[in-house]
Amino acid sequence: MTQAEIKLCSLLLQEHFGEIVEKVGIHLIKTGSQPLRLIVSDTGTPLQQVKKALCVLIQHNFVTYHLHKRGFVEYEAHPSLVLRFLRYPRYIYNAKTLYGDIGELLVEEVLQNGNMQMSCVVKKVSDRLTETMEGKGKRRRSSDDDTEPQAKRKKQNQEDGESSPDDGVYWEVNFERFHQHFRDQAIVSAVASKLDQTSSEIVRTMLRMSEVTTSSNAQYTQPLSSNEIFRALPSGYNISKQVLDQYLTLLADDPMEFVCKTGDSGGGMFAINLHKALASLARATLESVVQERFGSRSARIFRLLLRKRHLEQKQVEDFAMIPAKEAKDMLYTLLSQNLVSLQELPKTPDHAPSRTFYLYTVKTLPTAYMLLQKCYKTIANLIERRQFETKENKRLLEKSQRIEAIIASMQATGAEEQQLQEIEEMITAPERQQLEDLRRNVNKLDASENQVDETMFILESYIATTHSKA
């Protein structure tokens, strides 16, 4: 666990749950498994507050507990789950795209509460839909008691003599399925940009057919016959079986190697090489970073080293068609940023420089890991900047919220337009402009967080699939 990851986890926990939960969570992330007594003494936090913080963390699956062989309970934090806070907007948007407004509300409620009983989720979502239909205002966020631990609610229900039919059965969001969907979308988009829309639709069909039968960390999808793929194609694609076979052959022969042929039965058996697809996406991400930071010529050198694996400086100059002095400067810049590595191959045992080959190469996995750490730092900086912007304009935001609440209550009681206008004029023109600037800046920062998270997802998926292959 690096310092960049710990800092990002700290910011996320503090933003969503406050200082006490953040202190307990970060202590567990840094120290590993610990019993309650040690957590209390090490953090210097009162016992009851530590217990409440652990309840919140356990509720959201950020902390798990197990019985030690000596008989006491140990608590262990899972920082990778804390970092998924960044992806919550994508999960909710994806649910809306796939299953509409109700799917969006269901996923949002479960994400906000960590895990819930189905009856409780259905009740909350139906209440929110009813509110919306009756026009009682915009969809509200879950109230403060929504974050109350489920154990407390269960105890309260028992005291009231109530029991739900699904008592003791809790539901949580299956992040792996969402990640599988994000991965498939990225692969389909890459095929569409490299080849054409029909090719991407064929790949989408293959991924859709094997999404249930293929595990999230698999290297390949399940093999599918050409006949099965043809029958599963969307009705809008009126292509013949012969054209489909040509497309499949084209995809199998493409240098990207996203699709591979695994047999000849059933008109030919085809599968998608998920590892190579993610590796290709990760390489494209690395190339994009080099291009944005160091320019197109440095990107040309970087791309050349990715393809040729090992090259001497003279070979880089010749292949990239860049003057020697410029090529040397660019290589040393990339080397200083750890985007390129230098490998020595001595001809003789004495390692004399005159009798040694110096080969430049790109080690994709360490480079991807380094870039991932920079992504963590970037998102931490974005969160801190957003918090600073909000804190600087706290008084103005509070005033705006008060006025909005007054207007909403007056509208509900049927106030006249002139009265509403008078209330709105309580915010002056400069203040209105300042609010507009703040909203624009915060929206930009939020959009940047989402974009960096997309890069993080590609890199994390590539690193995970490389480790599982090993």
Side-chain angles (χ1 to χ4, degrees), residues 27-58:
H27 175 71
L28 283 173
I29 287 172
K30 287 179 177 177
T31 58
S33 298
Q34 276 206 326
L36 180 62
R37 180 176 52 81
L38 272 179
I39 298 169
V40 172
S41 63
D42 289 353
T43 58
T45 308
L47 177 64
Q48 288 305 315
Q49 289 186 347
V50 171
K51 283 183 176 180
K52 286 177 182 177
L54 285 171
C55 278
V56 171
L57 291 166
I58 291 166

Side-chain angles (χ1 to χ4, degrees), residues 257 276 283 301-312 315-316 340-341 343 359-364:
E257 298 182 85
K276 287 210 170 169
R283 280 197 299 271
I301 291 173
F302 189 80
R303 203 175 294 118
L304 183 67
L305 290 171
L306 277 173
R307 288 179 185 167
K308 299 287 187 180
R309 302 291 178 87
H310 296 87
L311 289 175
E312 289 186 278
Q315 291 174 306
V316 171
V340 165
S341 306
Q343 191 169 340
L359 302 177
Y360 289 94
T361 185
V362 175
K363 294 177 180 175
T364 314

Side-chain angles (χ1 to χ4, degrees), residues 276-287:
K276 287 210 170 169
L278 287 169
S280 179
L281 291 170
R283 280 197 299 271
T285 302
L286 297 178
E287 287 173 22

Side-chain angles (χ1 to χ4, degrees), residues 14-28:
Q14 188 168 11
E15 187 176 34
H16 290 87
F17 301 112
E19 289 183 10
I20 295 170
V21 173
E22 181 264 338
K23 186 192 281 188
V24 173
I26 293 303
H27 175 71
L28 283 173

Side-chain angles (χ1 to χ4, degrees), residues 136-174:
K136 289 184 180 176
K138 293 180 281 186
R139 288 178 191 160
R140 57 172 177 78
R141 302 223 13 126
S142 294
S143 57
D144 294 338
D145 61 22
D146 287 350
T147 55
E148 193 179 27
Q150 295 285 353
K152 191 173 176 183
R153 289 188 204 163
K154 184 179 174 183
K155 187 179 176 183
Q156 211 168 1
N157 286 343
Q158 285 173 350
E159 286 172 3
D160 297 340
E162 297 174 12
S163 62
S164 56
D166 58 347
D167 198 19
V169 181
Y170 294 94
W171 296 73
E172 61 186 34
V173 171
N174 184 354

Side-chain angles (χ1 to χ4, degrees), residues 278-330:
L278 287 169
S280 179
L281 291 170
R283 280 197 299 271
T285 302
L286 297 178
E287 287 173 22
S288 174
V289 168
V290 172
Q291 178 146 345
E292 291 300 318
R293 285 190 63 193
F294 305 107
S296 57
R297 287 191 161 193
S298 294
R300 194 193 307 169
I301 291 173
F302 189 80
R303 203 175 294 118
L304 183 67
L305 290 171
L306 277 173
R307 288 179 185 167
K308 299 287 187 180
R309 302 291 178 87
H310 296 87
L311 289 175
E312 289 186 278
Q313 187 177 311
K314 182 71 173 70
Q315 291 174 306
V316 171
E317 295 162 12
D318 295 342
F319 284 133
M321 293 184 288
I322 295 173
K325 186 175 182 300
E326 286 183 40
K328 185 178 179 181
D329 288 344
M330 289 172 187

